Amino acid sequence: MSGQWPDADDPTGPPGLGARLRRQQVLGVVLVVLVAIVGLLAVAALVTSGETSDSLAKLTVAALIAAPVVRVAWLAVRWLRLGDIRFALVSAALLAVVGVAAVV
């Protein structure tokens, strides 16, 4: 296998492992992009001044909050597709709490 993760076509690996790894890789890319956005916003907030700096700082905090919320939403959809209603409902409740907190 030349040091690569096993694919779905690999008869020696568990079935469906390749699809699971691809999903995790996509999620990993999304989270890395969010971290990069947070870093760029934070630097931009530091090098600017006045109202622009305040706005960029607020966006930085919003992006920091968005990272775990995206992860929970991702899992909620996954659990719903798998038919695990309990975990899907718990994650939906957590997302609702975060939404209510944002409004309040």
Side-chain angles (χ1 to χ4, degrees), residues 31-47 56 59-61 63-64:
L31 293 175
V32 166
V33 167
L34 277 171
V35 168
I37 289 170
V38 166
L40 291 173
L41 286 170
V43 168
L46 288 173
V47 298
L56 288 171
L59 283 173
T60 302
V61 172
L64 275 171

Side-chain angles (χ1 to χ4, degrees), residues 24-87:
Q24 291 300 316
Q25 288 170 341
V26 169
L27 179 61
V29 168
V30 168
L31 293 175
V32 166
V33 167
L34 277 171
V35 168
I37 289 170
V38 166
L40 291 173
L41 286 170
V43 168
L46 288 173
V47 298
T48 58
S49 63
E51 192 174 311
T52 304
S53 177
D54 291 343
S55 297
L56 288 171
K58 290 175 185 175
L59 283 173
T60 302
V61 172
L64 275 171
I65 293 170
V69 170
V70 166
R71 174 75 171 150
V72 171
W74 179 286
L75 288 171
V77 170
R78 182 74 185 135
W79 286 324
L80 194 58
R81 286 183 181 169
L82 290 174
D84 195 341
I85 300 300
R86 288 182 305 157
F87 281 109

Side-chain angles (χ1 to χ4, degrees), residues 7-25:
D7 201 307
D9 299 329
D10 181 14
T12 61
L17 182 61
R20 187 175 353 168
L21 288 173
R22 282 188 290 278
R23 282 192 305 273
Q24 291 300 316
Q25 288 170 341

